[in-house]
Amino acid sequence: MRTRVAPSPTGGPHVGTAYVALVNYCFAKQQGGDFLLRIEDTDQARSTPESEHAILAALRWTGLSWDEGPDVGGPHGPYRQSERSEIYRRYAEQLLLQGDAFRCFCTPERLEAMRAAQRAAGIPQKYDGHCVAVPAGESAERAAAGESYVVRMKIPETGVCVVNDLARGPVPYEYATVDMQVLLKSDGLPTYHLANVVDDHLMEITHVIRGEEWMPSAPKHLLLYGYFGWEPPVLMHLPLLRNPDKSKLSKRKNPTGILFYQRMGYLPEALLNFLGLLLAPAPEGREIFGVDDLTRRLDLVKISLGGPVFDTVKLDWLNGQYLRALTAGELVARTLAWGFDRERVDRIAELARSRVARLSDVVPSTAYLFAGRVEVTKDSFAGTKLPPEQIRKALALAMWRLDAEHTFDMATVERVLKGVGETLGVKFRDLSRVFYVAMTGSATALPLFDSMELLGRDICRERFRFALDAVGGVTNKEQKEWQAIPFSYDYAAVPT
Ligand code: GLU
């Protein structure tokens, strides 16, 4: 029995990843098997080492551990797909030779015209098979002559693929609806689909348990297993986590980052317990349980397919139970470990040093750096010189644009926030008061950019979201318009 979690390092660590990791971990351990971690970084443009680092750190923080992975090694490595390109190329070559895949020489312009025609005709967009007919000899010659191509998999023209999902039973997919998926891109690197199937096979994964957003990929994967003559793993697709209103969990409505819950001061054991409740409802009155208990009780077939609700009220309650079960000494130790490491405290002291008149000022003037959300209302912004519409726009632009940055250090924060000033054509002196209020709860505090770096991306995002809600939020129309504003930043153009 071997399971895995296979995150793509294209953003911050998501609670959904912890949820998937938890099921896979418990299921493998229940059967005395192994649980692996694989990094799926085939999307070179979006994958970053920072993201990989954060995902590993966040998963480790939850307390889960893996038997094999990029950080711990193992007999089936490397466990990072970017280090396995040669392997995928070999398997793509095999499919070409077998005639189960073909080279596609279509130019981006042709593909765009094809899609436009499909859109206009109101038919689903998929590759029209133009290059399937290129004879093998000609295909090889064109490739040898240096013409650019991708490798696509062949899909039967008719018939049905039945995906046997462990929890859903048989789910039929008409081949006619399945796209001739690109397996190898023109730069010779694989797509997720090829790499995922090859790796699950070579890493001897027996059970693939993943989010239901991958369900439509299953027919392609099953076909690939068939082409290679490999036995496919058992598949199970987990229902997506949902907001309380049942919409898909998204950071617009709820914080979704594991690091947010860490910085807010949730205990990892409470978070896992909470996720566990979504997987295996507790026997009456026994809602507090650890991973070992969940491992014993988890029954994959019984996982409810109705969307599990990420109910932060419940999480708060659970976390409170865990905190209250600590002795005073344990509470001190956990609190210090959580937010008072020496380096952080020293940095805060350095900022506060010149602004305190009494030692009794130190705690109040730095409290916002240890808090979760800060209380702000519409009135909190009364002292700023900006009209309400500009305040909403400033908060929204700052939040979105910081989200789009790979790093969240002082320099990035400064560049982005000043860029918002440039976009709005307002003096940064006036604008910064808005940001001070949203980030610190007060119009004056320790330096803004340092404060934001110390608070970290996840807490800042939540404070922006909270402040934005307090001043009336953003309509869908505004969101569309404001997100379309180009983000250019030119220091010299900022009015000071
Ligand atoms: N890399 C995919 C993800 O980020 C993994 C999908 C799978 O488990 O097959 O979710």
Side-chain angles (χ1 to χ4, degrees):
M1 171 81 45
R2 287 167 61 85
T3 64
R4 53 36 168 207
V5 65
S8 295
T10 54
H14 194 280
V15 285
T17 303
Y19 170 71
V20 173
L22 178 64
V23 192
N24 278 283
Y25 173 88
C26 290
F27 184 58
K29 295 301 147 189
Q30 185 179 70
Q31 314 285 326
D34 291 329
F35 168 60
L36 281 68
L37 189 144
R38 180 173 74 226
I39 292 292
E40 298 207 323
D41 54 351
T42 52
D43 184 342
Q44 281 206 310
R46 292 176 57 229
S47 299
T48 64
E50 291 82 17
S51 167
E52 176 186 320
H53 180 80
I55 291 172
L56 289 177
L59 285 178
R60 240 180 265 122
W61 170 78
T62 66
L64 293 175
S65 58
W66 37 96
D67 302 292
E68 297 170 31
D71 52 342
V72 295
H76 299 76
Y79 294 90
R80 193 178 286 113
Q81 291 185 328
S82 55
E83 293 167 18
R84 301 170 62 83
S85 321
E86 254 330 295
I87 304 177
Y88 310 126
R89 236 193 305 264
R90 261 196 339 259
Y91 284 104
E93 198 57 41
Q94 178 185 338
L95 292 181
L96 281 173
L97 284 172
Q98 290 175 191
D100 291 320
F102 60 97
R103 292 189 191 84
C104 170
F105 298 95
C106 291
T107 60
E109 294 73 34
R110 177 178 185 275
L111 294 174
E112 195 29 61
M114 173 195 84
R115 283 189 212 106
Q118 289 170 340
R119 266 197 304 274
I123 54 174
Q125 293 185 26
K126 63 189 191 79
Y127 183 63
D128 60 4
H130 185 257
C131 288
V132 183
V134 177
E138 181 192 328
S139 168
E141 275 166 31
R142 286 169 71 175
E147 196 173 334
S148 171
Y149 66 89
V150 300
V151 175
R152 289 181 187 271
M153 66 187 290
K154 287 191 184 165
I155 307 282
E157 276 166 36
T158 55
V160 173
C161 172
V162 176
V163 177
N164 277 307
D165 185 277
L166 192 57
R168 283 155 229 262
V171 182
Y173 285 88
E174 304 246 2
Y175 281 127
T177 64
V178 180
D179 198 8
M180 294 176 213
Q181 181 65 50
V182 173
L183 300 176
L184 217 55
K185 296 175 275 191
S186 55
D187 56 8
L189 294 175
T191 58
Y192 153 75
H193 302 277
L194 177 64
N196 185 272
V197 166
V198 167
D199 284 352
D200 280 342
H201 173 71
L202 295 180
M203 296 180 184
E204 298 176 26
I205 300 301
T206 58
H207 291 70
V208 165
I209 308 167
R210 60 184 170 195
E212 71 186 339
E213 73 271 32
W214 299 105
M215 187 80 194
S217 299
K220 296 173 191 171
H221 296 183
L222 291 176
L223 267 178
L224 287 174
Y225 282 103
Y227 291 161
F228 287 121
W230 297 336
E231 192 189 331
V234 175
L235 297 180
M236 165 157 182
H237 294 86
L238 294 167
L240 294 179
L241 300 177
R242 309 227 155 236
N243 294 305
D245 67 3
K246 286 278 177 182
S247 58
K248 182 179 156 214
L249 190 67
S250 74
K251 59 184 173 188
R252 259 194 91 180
K253 296 191 178 151
N254 254 327
T256 54
I258 300 176
L259 297 176
F260 169 77
Y261 293 94
Q262 178 189 28
R263 290 293 334 144
M264 279 298 276
Y266 292 91
L267 300 182
E269 53 269 42
L271 182 64
L272 287 188
N273 188 156
F274 170 71
L275 294 172
L277 280 172
L278 303 179
L279 293 166
E284 196 61 41
R286 284 195 44 244
E287 290 191 303
I288 311 279
F289 52 80
V291 173
D292 289 346
D293 185 35
L294 180 65
T295 298
R296 272 189 299 276
R297 287 192 298 112
L298 183 69
D299 184 348
L300 282 190
V301 182
K302 284 206 189 130
I303 289 181
S304 151
L305 295 179
V309 173
F310 198 91
D311 175 3
T312 49
V313 176
K314 181 85 188 189
L315 176 58
D316 281 343
W317 174 81
L318 257 182
N319 201 56
Q321 299 293 313
Y322 273 88
L323 285 180
R324 282 193 275 285
L326 300 178
T327 63
E330 286 165 345
L331 182 61
V332 171
R334 301 286 302 240
T335 309
L336 291 178
W338 160 77
F340 291 81
D341 70 79
R342 193 56 205 251
E343 204 187 317
R344 183 164 193 266
V345 174
D346 280 352
R347 241 190 103 187
I348 293 173
E350 189 57 42
L351 295 177
R353 210 158 57 88
S354 59
R355 305 177 190 232
V356 288
R358 292 163 294 261
L359 288 177
S360 58
D361 297 333
V362 173
V363 169
S365 70
T366 59
Y368 72 93
L369 291 169
F370 298 91
R373 298 185 182 86
V374 285
E375 263 326 303
V376 293
T377 64
K378 224 183 175 115
D379 295 338
S380 316
F381 293 92
T384 65
K385 293 202 181 116
L386 264 58
E389 152 104 7
Q390 291 278 65
I391 292 176
R392 289 193 302 116
K393 196 166 176 179
L395 293 171
L397 289 181
M399 181 170 79
W400 296 330
R401 289 176 179 184
L402 283 168
D403 268 350
E405 296 289 333
H406 287 318
T407 49
F408 197 86
D409 51 15
M410 273 175 65
T412 308
V413 170
E414 174 169 5
R415 176 170 53 78
V416 169
L417 296 190
K418 289 193 168 166
V420 171
E422 189 193 340
T423 299
L424 298 180
V426 297
K427 289 189 191 146
F428 192 67
R429 203 173 341 119
D430 298 334
L431 183 62
S432 66
R433 294 176 75 88
V434 172
F435 295 142
Y436 263 111
V437 171
M439 292 298 103
T440 74
S442 140
T444 54
L446 307 183
L448 180 65
F449 308 134
D450 296 81
S451 295
M452 288 179 68
E453 182 181 302
L454 279 161
L455 287 166
R457 182 193 287 277
D458 293 84
I459 294 288
C460 288
R461 177 174 221 295
E462 181 58 8
R463 290 187 185 183
F464 272 123
R465 198 178 69 95
F466 190 81
L468 196 52
D469 273 353
V471 292
V474 177
T475 65
N476 286 342
K477 184 164 166 267
E478 284 169 339
Q479 176 167 351
K480 234 175 147 173
E481 278 173 25
W482 294 351
Q483 285 187 339
I485 304 172
F487 178 23
S488 69
Y489 180 62
D490 173 6
Y491 259 103
V494 183
T496 45

Short mmCIF file of all heavy atoms in Angstrom, two decimals, residues 4 153 196-202 205 208 210 218-233 235:
data_model
loop_
_atom_site.label_atom_id
_atom_site.label_comp_id
_atom_site.label_asym_id
_atom_site.label_seq_id
_atom_site.Cartn_x
_atom_site.Cartn_y
_atom_site.Cartn_z
N ARG A 4 0.35 8.98 -1.87
CA ARG A 4 1.21 10.15 -1.99
C ARG A 4 0.37 11.41 -1.97
O ARG A 4 -0.84 11.40 -2.22
CB ARG A 4 2.07 10.08 -3.25
CG ARG A 4 1.46 9.85 -4.63
CD ARG A 4 0.19 10.44 -4.94
NE ARG A 4 -0.22 10.41 -6.32
CZ ARG A 4 -1.04 11.33 -6.86
NH1 ARG A 4 -1.54 12.29 -6.12
NH2 ARG A 4 -1.40 11.25 -8.11
N MET A 153 -1.35 12.86 -26.86
CA MET A 153 -1.81 11.48 -26.77
C MET A 153 -3.00 11.27 -27.71
O MET A 153 -3.77 12.20 -27.97
CB MET A 153 -2.20 11.10 -25.34
CG MET A 153 -3.42 11.82 -24.79
SD MET A 153 -3.69 11.47 -23.03
CE MET A 153 -4.20 9.75 -23.11
N ASN A 196 2.63 12.77 -14.04
CA ASN A 196 1.86 12.21 -12.94
C ASN A 196 1.69 10.69 -13.09
O ASN A 196 1.90 9.92 -12.16
CB ASN A 196 0.50 12.93 -12.94
CG ASN A 196 -0.39 12.55 -11.78
OD1 ASN A 196 -1.14 11.59 -11.89
ND2 ASN A 196 -0.31 13.27 -10.67
N VAL A 197 1.34 10.26 -14.30
CA VAL A 197 1.11 8.83 -14.54
C VAL A 197 2.43 8.05 -14.46
O VAL A 197 2.52 7.02 -13.78
CB VAL A 197 0.43 8.63 -15.92
CG1 VAL A 197 0.49 7.17 -16.35
CG2 VAL A 197 -1.03 9.10 -15.85
N VAL A 198 3.46 8.58 -15.12
CA VAL A 198 4.76 7.89 -15.10
C VAL A 198 5.26 7.77 -13.65
O VAL A 198 5.71 6.70 -13.21
CB VAL A 198 5.77 8.66 -15.99
CG1 VAL A 198 7.19 8.17 -15.74
CG2 VAL A 198 5.41 8.50 -17.46
N ASP A 199 5.14 8.85 -12.91
CA ASP A 199 5.66 8.82 -11.54
C ASP A 199 4.84 7.92 -10.62
O ASP A 199 5.40 7.18 -9.81
CB ASP A 199 5.69 10.24 -10.95
CG ASP A 199 6.85 11.03 -11.52
OD1 ASP A 199 7.69 10.43 -12.23
OD2 ASP A 199 6.91 12.25 -11.27
N ASP A 200 3.54 7.99 -10.75
CA ASP A 200 2.73 7.12 -9.88
C ASP A 200 3.07 5.66 -10.15
O ASP A 200 3.13 4.84 -9.23
CB ASP A 200 1.23 7.38 -10.07
CG ASP A 200 0.78 8.62 -9.31
OD1 ASP A 200 1.51 9.05 -8.39
OD2 ASP A 200 -0.29 9.17 -9.62
N HIS A 201 3.36 5.35 -11.41
CA HIS A 201 3.74 3.97 -11.72
C HIS A 201 5.13 3.66 -11.16
O HIS A 201 5.31 2.68 -10.42
CB HIS A 201 3.72 3.72 -13.23
CG HIS A 201 4.27 2.38 -13.61
ND1 HIS A 201 3.61 1.20 -13.35
CD2 HIS A 201 5.47 2.03 -14.16
CE1 HIS A 201 4.35 0.18 -13.74
NE2 HIS A 201 5.48 0.66 -14.24
N LEU A 202 6.12 4.50 -11.50
CA LEU A 202 7.49 4.19 -11.08
C LEU A 202 7.64 4.24 -9.56
O LEU A 202 8.47 3.54 -8.98
CB LEU A 202 8.49 5.16 -11.73
CG LEU A 202 8.61 5.06 -13.26
CD1 LEU A 202 9.62 6.08 -13.77
CD2 LEU A 202 9.01 3.65 -13.70
N ILE A 205 2.82 3.69 -6.63
CA ILE A 205 1.66 4.18 -5.87
C ILE A 205 0.49 3.23 -6.13
O ILE A 205 0.16 2.94 -7.29
CB ILE A 205 1.30 5.61 -6.33
CG1 ILE A 205 2.49 6.56 -6.09
CG2 ILE A 205 0.04 6.11 -5.63
CD1 ILE A 205 2.95 6.66 -4.66
N VAL A 208 -4.38 6.39 -5.55
CA VAL A 208 -4.30 7.83 -5.81
C VAL A 208 -5.54 8.47 -5.20
O VAL A 208 -6.66 8.24 -5.66
CB VAL A 208 -4.22 8.09 -7.32
CG1 VAL A 208 -4.50 9.55 -7.64
CG2 VAL A 208 -2.85 7.69 -7.87
N ARG A 210 -7.03 12.08 -4.37
CA ARG A 210 -6.76 13.49 -4.68
C ARG A 210 -8.07 14.24 -4.80
O ARG A 210 -9.15 13.66 -4.74
CB ARG A 210 -5.96 13.58 -5.97
CG ARG A 210 -6.68 12.99 -7.15
CD ARG A 210 -5.85 13.00 -8.42
NE ARG A 210 -6.45 12.23 -9.48
CZ ARG A 210 -5.82 11.84 -10.58
NH1 ARG A 210 -4.55 12.15 -10.76
NH2 ARG A 210 -6.45 11.15 -11.49
N ALA A 218 -8.98 11.83 -15.14
CA ALA A 218 -8.83 10.39 -14.93
C ALA A 218 -8.92 9.57 -16.23
O ALA A 218 -8.13 8.65 -16.42
CB ALA A 218 -9.84 9.89 -13.90
N PRO A 219 -9.85 9.89 -17.17
CA PRO A 219 -9.89 9.09 -18.41
C PRO A 219 -8.56 9.15 -19.17
O PRO A 219 -8.10 8.14 -19.69
CB PRO A 219 -11.00 9.76 -19.23
CG PRO A 219 -11.83 10.51 -18.25
CD PRO A 219 -10.94 10.89 -17.11
N LYS A 220 -7.95 10.32 -19.21
CA LYS A 220 -6.65 10.45 -19.90
C LYS A 220 -5.62 9.58 -19.19
O LYS A 220 -4.82 8.87 -19.82
CB LYS A 220 -6.17 11.90 -19.88
CG LYS A 220 -7.06 12.85 -20.63
CD LYS A 220 -6.61 14.29 -20.41
CE LYS A 220 -7.67 15.25 -20.94
NZ LYS A 220 -7.39 16.64 -20.57
N HIS A 221 -5.63 9.65 -17.88
CA HIS A 221 -4.62 8.89 -17.11
C HIS A 221 -4.83 7.38 -17.31
O HIS A 221 -3.87 6.66 -17.52
CB HIS A 221 -4.69 9.26 -15.63
CG HIS A 221 -4.34 10.69 -15.38
ND1 HIS A 221 -4.28 11.24 -14.12
CD2 HIS A 221 -4.04 11.71 -16.23
CE1 HIS A 221 -3.94 12.53 -14.21
NE2 HIS A 221 -3.81 12.83 -15.48
N LEU A 222 -6.09 6.96 -17.27
CA LEU A 222 -6.35 5.52 -17.43
C LEU A 222 -5.91 5.05 -18.82
O LEU A 222 -5.36 3.96 -18.97
CB LEU A 222 -7.83 5.22 -17.19
CG LEU A 222 -8.26 5.39 -15.72
CD1 LEU A 222 -9.76 5.17 -15.57
CD2 LEU A 222 -7.50 4.42 -14.82
N LEU A 223 -6.16 5.90 -19.83
CA LEU A 223 -5.71 5.54 -21.18
C LEU A 223 -4.19 5.38 -21.21
O LEU A 223 -3.66 4.43 -21.79
CB LEU A 223 -6.09 6.65 -22.17
CG LEU A 223 -7.41 6.53 -22.91
CD1 LEU A 223 -7.60 7.76 -23.80
CD2 LEU A 223 -7.45 5.26 -23.76
N LEU A 224 -3.50 6.32 -20.56
CA LEU A 224 -2.03 6.25 -20.55
C LEU A 224 -1.55 4.97 -19.87
O LEU A 224 -0.65 4.29 -20.38
CB LEU A 224 -1.43 7.47 -19.85
CG LEU A 224 -1.52 8.80 -20.64
CD1 LEU A 224 -1.04 9.97 -19.79
CD2 LEU A 224 -0.69 8.71 -21.92
N TYR A 225 -2.16 4.62 -18.74
CA TYR A 225 -1.77 3.36 -18.08
C TYR A 225 -1.95 2.21 -19.06
O TYR A 225 -1.10 1.33 -19.17
CB TYR A 225 -2.60 3.11 -16.82
CG TYR A 225 -2.16 3.92 -15.64
CD1 TYR A 225 -2.87 5.04 -15.23
CD2 TYR A 225 -1.02 3.57 -14.92
CE1 TYR A 225 -2.46 5.81 -14.15
CE2 TYR A 225 -0.60 4.32 -13.83
CZ TYR A 225 -1.33 5.45 -13.45
OH TYR A 225 -0.91 6.19 -12.40
N GLY A 226 -3.06 2.23 -19.79
CA GLY A 226 -3.34 1.18 -20.77
C GLY A 226 -2.28 1.15 -21.87
O GLY A 226 -1.75 0.10 -22.22
N TYR A 227 -1.93 2.33 -22.42
CA TYR A 227 -0.92 2.39 -23.49
C TYR A 227 0.41 1.81 -23.03
O TYR A 227 1.12 1.16 -23.79
CB TYR A 227 -0.70 3.84 -23.94
CG TYR A 227 -1.87 4.47 -24.68
CD1 TYR A 227 -1.98 5.86 -24.80
CD2 TYR A 227 -2.86 3.69 -25.28
CE1 TYR A 227 -3.03 6.45 -25.48
CE2 TYR A 227 -3.93 4.28 -25.94
CZ TYR A 227 -4.01 5.65 -26.05
OH TYR A 227 -5.04 6.24 -26.71
N PHE A 228 0.75 2.10 -21.78
CA PHE A 228 2.03 1.60 -21.26
C PHE A 228 1.95 0.13 -20.82
O PHE A 228 2.97 -0.48 -20.53
CB PHE A 228 2.50 2.45 -20.07
CG PHE A 228 2.99 3.82 -20.44
CD1 PHE A 228 2.40 4.97 -19.93
CD2 PHE A 228 4.07 3.97 -21.31
CE1 PHE A 228 2.87 6.23 -20.28
CE2 PHE A 228 4.55 5.23 -21.66
CZ PHE A 228 3.94 6.37 -21.14
N GLY A 229 0.73 -0.38 -20.74
CA GLY A 229 0.57 -1.75 -20.26
C GLY A 229 0.76 -1.86 -18.75
O GLY A 229 1.19 -2.90 -18.24
N TRP A 230 0.47 -0.79 -18.03
CA TRP A 230 0.64 -0.79 -16.58
C TRP A 230 -0.72 -0.94 -15.89
O TRP A 230 -1.74 -0.46 -16.40
CB TRP A 230 1.24 0.54 -16.10
CG TRP A 230 2.61 0.82 -16.62
CD1 TRP A 230 3.53 -0.09 -17.05
CD2 TRP A 230 3.21 2.12 -16.77
NE1 TRP A 230 4.68 0.57 -17.45
CE2 TRP A 230 4.50 1.93 -17.29
CE3 TRP A 230 2.77 3.43 -16.51
CZ2 TRP A 230 5.37 2.98 -17.55
CZ3 TRP A 230 3.64 4.48 -16.77
CH2 TRP A 230 4.92 4.25 -17.29
N GLU A 231 -0.68 -1.51 -14.71
CA GLU A 231 -1.92 -1.60 -13.95
C GLU A 231 -2.18 -0.26 -13.26
O GLU A 231 -1.30 0.25 -12.57
CB GLU A 231 -1.80 -2.70 -12.89
CG GLU A 231 -3.13 -3.03 -12.28
CD GLU A 231 -2.98 -3.96 -11.08
OE1 GLU A 231 -2.02 -4.74 -11.07
OE2 GLU A 231 -3.81 -3.85 -10.18
N PRO A 232 -3.34 0.34 -13.49
CA PRO A 232 -3.56 1.64 -12.85
C PRO A 232 -3.79 1.51 -11.35
O PRO A 232 -4.23 0.46 -10.89
CB PRO A 232 -4.84 2.15 -13.54
CG PRO A 232 -5.51 0.95 -14.07
CD PRO A 232 -4.47 -0.10 -14.30
N PRO A 233 -3.47 2.57 -10.61
CA PRO A 233 -3.75 2.54 -9.18
C PRO A 233 -5.26 2.65 -8.93
O PRO A 233 -6.02 2.97 -9.84
CB PRO A 233 -3.05 3.79 -8.65
CG PRO A 233 -2.93 4.69 -9.83
CD PRO A 233 -2.89 3.83 -11.05
N LEU A 235 -8.32 4.66 -7.79
CA LEU A 235 -8.52 6.11 -7.80
C LEU A 235 -9.62 6.50 -6.83
O LEU A 235 -10.63 5.81 -6.69
CB LEU A 235 -8.93 6.59 -9.19
CG LEU A 235 -7.93 6.41 -10.33
CD1 LEU A 235 -8.53 6.93 -11.63
CD2 LEU A 235 -6.64 7.15 -10.02
#
